[in-house]
Amino acid sequence: MIIGNLSGLSEFRLLGFPEISHLHPLLFVVLLSLYILTLMANTVIVFIINSDNTLHTPMYFFLTQLSCLDICYLSVIIPTILENLLVGTVSISQTRCALQMFFFLFFGVAECFLLAAMSLDRYFAICYPLHYTIIMSSRVCRSLVAGSYICGAAVALVHTLTTFSSPLCGSTIDRFFCEIQPFLDLHCGNTFQREIQVIVVAVFAILSPFLLIIYSYIRIISTSLHMASAESRQKAFSTCSSHLLVVALFYGTASSMYLPGPVLACISSTSCLRTPRLCADIWAHLCSFPVLPREFAE
């Protein structure tokens, strides 16, 4: 169904960054360096956690999953962007484009819910320390991770099916990879209902876990402020600081994808504005791997 688009298109053209072609070599080096650094750092995190029995706790279990998601998320889009920077306009088959959109949404949404699960872990660890090991059992942790992947797959499947089963009036995508917004511009006829669908799904995929994170940290802050020892308060806040940084960067960039059509079209109208969005998104994933050294320091 995904492949059999009603428009009969077999491939799309990704324009990438035509307005700043003189910066392509620099962008290629920067993005490739960040990508390699991300792969190496997250691989080291996974290896260290799996090889040290003292780190087999819920917090590090979630951190392992976050590192794996970071690797997969960036591996979906960075190779296409690097190819675009090397050769200019890239032709991509409809099947490859559909798969790229699916996995981009799958890993992105799964990370939203995983970040919410990590905030719940910190909430129970700080607010209910005596019952923490009972509440956050290995079964519960695995269920939270599985639920994150299921939600990611459901959202990705809905978006990908509806996008590639609708007639498209064009094959040129003014982006560097297959994401939702440019396909809204390619849809034939009125796209209002499709934009509403994107926003409704985004409320579930982005806003719901974000509100859970906000609630968790409100309770964490309230509990921490009532701790008798200043050292205990400092330790409570320090265990959450890295997670909060990742949440702020990740949700800040993710939310820009689901702004109402006219606003997003304005933001994404030029390459000079799209490039910082891309770098911010990559940086949000790069910032996830400093969490481990800070926790080791304790």
Side-chain angles (χ1 to χ4, degrees):
M1 183 176 180
I2 295 178
I3 300 176
N5 192 296
L6 296 178
S7 63
L9 298 173
S10 60
E11 65 178 25
F12 300 96
R13 295 173 63 247
L14 300 174
L15 296 183
F17 310 90
E19 297 92 342
I20 53 172
S21 57
H22 60 287
L23 294 178
H24 281 191
L26 175 61
L27 286 175
F28 180 85
V29 172
V30 171
L31 290 179
L32 181 60
S33 300
L34 291 176
Y35 181 52
I36 293 175
L37 180 60
T38 304
L39 293 181
M40 293 176 58
N42 283 291
T43 301
V44 169
I45 289 176
V46 174
F47 174 77
I48 292 176
I49 292 176
N50 288 332
S51 60
D52 191 341
N53 291 331
T54 62
L55 299 179
H56 292 176
T57 63
M59 179 176 64
Y60 290 109
F61 172 70
F62 289 129
L63 184 56
T64 300
Q65 298 299 318
L66 182 63
S67 295
C68 293
L69 281 177
D70 284 341
I71 293 173
C72 296
Y73 181 88
L74 292 178
S75 296
V76 170
I77 60 175
I78 294 299
T80 303
I81 298 174
L82 294 176
E83 180 184 0
N84 195 292
L85 292 173
L86 279 178
V87 303
T89 301
V90 173
S91 294
I92 182 172
S93 68
Q94 188 184 78
T95 302
R96 180 184 170 191
C97 190
L99 289 173
Q100 187 179 67
M101 179 180 290
F102 173 83
F103 285 109
F104 170 73
L105 293 171
F106 170 56
F107 293 125
V109 173
E111 187 157 344
C112 286
F113 283 93
L114 183 62
L115 289 172
M118 294 176 73
S119 70
L120 278 179
D121 173 66
R122 294 297 83 207
Y123 164 67
F124 289 123
I126 294 174
C127 299
Y128 300 96
L130 298 180
H131 304 283
Y132 173 68
T133 55
I134 299 176
I135 297 174
M136 296 301 295
S137 63
S138 59
R139 181 180 178 181
V140 170
C141 293
R142 288 194 297 268
S143 298
L144 288 172
V145 171
S148 299
Y149 287 124
I150 291 172
C151 290
V155 171
L157 187 62
V158 168
H159 273 312
T160 307
L161 285 175
T162 54
T163 296
F164 287 89
S165 62
S166 302
L168 303 176
C169 298
S171 60
T172 301
I173 301 175
D174 190 19
R175 290 294 190 280
F176 26 78
F177 69 99
C178 296
E179 57 175 320
I180 295 174
Q181 176 59 30
F183 279 91
L184 292 177
D185 299 334
L186 292 179
H187 278 181
C188 301
N190 193 339
T191 62
F192 177 75
Q193 290 185 343
R194 178 71 178 117
E195 290 178 3
I196 293 299
Q197 180 190 24
V198 170
I199 294 174
V200 170
V201 174
V203 169
F204 166 75
I206 295 179
L207 187 59
S208 297
F210 181 71
L211 291 177
L212 181 59
I213 292 172
I214 294 297
Y215 172 78
S216 298
Y217 276 102
I218 288 175
R219 295 295 303 272
I220 288 173
I221 292 173
S222 176
T223 300
S224 300
L225 291 177
H226 287 85
M227 290 180 177
S229 169
E231 182 181 354
S232 298
R233 289 194 297 270
Q234 182 179 2
K235 184 176 181 180
F237 287 129
S238 65
T239 59
C240 301
S241 59
S242 297
H243 179 254
L244 278 174
L245 176 61
V246 175
V247 167
L249 290 172
F250 181 82
Y251 275 93
T253 55
S255 61
S256 67
M257 295 176 56
Y258 294 95
L259 290 172
V263 178
L264 186 56
C266 177
I267 291 177
S268 302
S269 59
T270 63
S271 290
C272 65
L273 292 178
R274 292 201 305 269
T275 305
R277 283 181 61 213
L278 169 66
C279 293
D281 196 22
I282 296 173
W283 185 249
H285 291 80
L286 273 172
C287 285
S288 63
F289 65 75
V291 177
L292 185 62
R294 295 185 188 182
E295 300 299 342
F296 271 141
E298 297 181 2

